[in-house]
Amino acid sequence: MSDSEEHHFESKADAGASKTYPQQAGTIRKNGYIVIKNRPCKVVEVSTSKTGKHGHAKCHFVGIDIFTAKKLEDIVPSSHNCDVPHVNRTDYQLIDISEDGFVSLLTENGNTKDDLKLPTDDNLLTQIKDGFAEGKDLVVSVMSAMGEEQICALKDIGPK
């Protein structure tokens, strides 16, 4: 390869990276994240049970799915590894809401992101629709984990 050849790679810096990483069950704490039944969850309760003569201590996790808000539970020996999802939050400016329930968002580099649906949470949904109808500049927080994305919060940065 000569020096005059330049290669440009466009990437989101995940380079095919895993959607989860292993962490020992005994080290996962409340308000952390864990994968339960292949769903990314926020841990709301952890209890560790002492065991009998030859068993392992077990961790009982209660988690809430970060996308569907369903409660899930799992029991794992504390010495075993659990999957922990890579969870990212990104803020985007809201440009438009289409008729079919999709939002148009402005990314940091000036491109638009048009593949996200409006949230299913009624409270957040009405806040977004009302704020947009009033012509306010809205910034939405998008949470992404394990290949899924969803709008999870809203900030008002003032009138346009």
Side-chain angles (χ1 to χ4, degrees):
M1 291 184 59
S2 68
D3 292 334
S4 64
E5 283 184 53
E6 284 190 36
H7 294 282
H8 296 285
F9 297 103
E10 283 191 32
S11 78
K12 294 259 178 147
D14 65 350
S18 165
K19 295 177 169 126
T20 62
Y21 60 93
Q23 186 174 345
Q24 193 171 335
T27 64
I28 295 173
R29 299 280 168 248
K30 189 176 172 180
N31 292 331
Y33 294 100
I34 187 172
V35 176
I36 302 176
K37 297 183 178 85
N38 279 333
R39 299 294 304 157
C41 298
K42 185 174 181 111
V43 180
V44 290
E45 192 181 322
V46 182
S47 55
T48 308
S49 62
K50 298 280 185 263
T51 55
K53 221 172 185 176
H54 303 292
H56 289 278
K58 294 211 171 32
C59 293
H60 175 243
F61 295 106
V62 178
I64 294 188
D65 188 314
I66 59 178
F67 296 122
T68 64
K70 286 197 176 98
K71 195 178 203 180
L72 297 164
E73 296 186 44
D74 201 6
I75 297 175
V76 187
S78 64
S79 57
H80 285 46
N81 280 347
C82 291
D83 283 335
V84 176
H86 290 284
V87 179
N88 293 321
R89 275 179 88 127
T90 319
D91 288 350
Y92 298 106
Q93 188 166 348
L94 181 67
I95 304 171
D96 193 22
I97 300 175
S98 65
E99 307 288 312
D100 56 0
F102 281 87
V103 292
S104 191
L105 304 172
L106 186 67
T107 62
E108 282 179 13
N109 57 9
N111 296 335
T112 57
K113 180 175 177 56
D114 302 311
D115 57 350
L116 266 178
K117 271 183 137 11
L118 280 164
T120 48
D121 176 31
D122 290 332
N123 185 17
L124 192 58
L125 182 64
T126 51
Q127 281 183 316
I128 291 173
K129 283 189 169 174
D130 293 350
F132 185 72
E134 290 166 22
K136 291 181 181 167
D137 261 347
L138 300 176
V139 172
V140 294
S141 290
V142 176
M143 191 176 281
S144 62
M146 297 178 68
E148 282 184 63
E149 291 183 310
Q150 186 176 314
I151 296 172
C152 61
L154 172 72
K155 287 182 211 137
D156 182 358
I157 56 171
K160 281 189 177 167

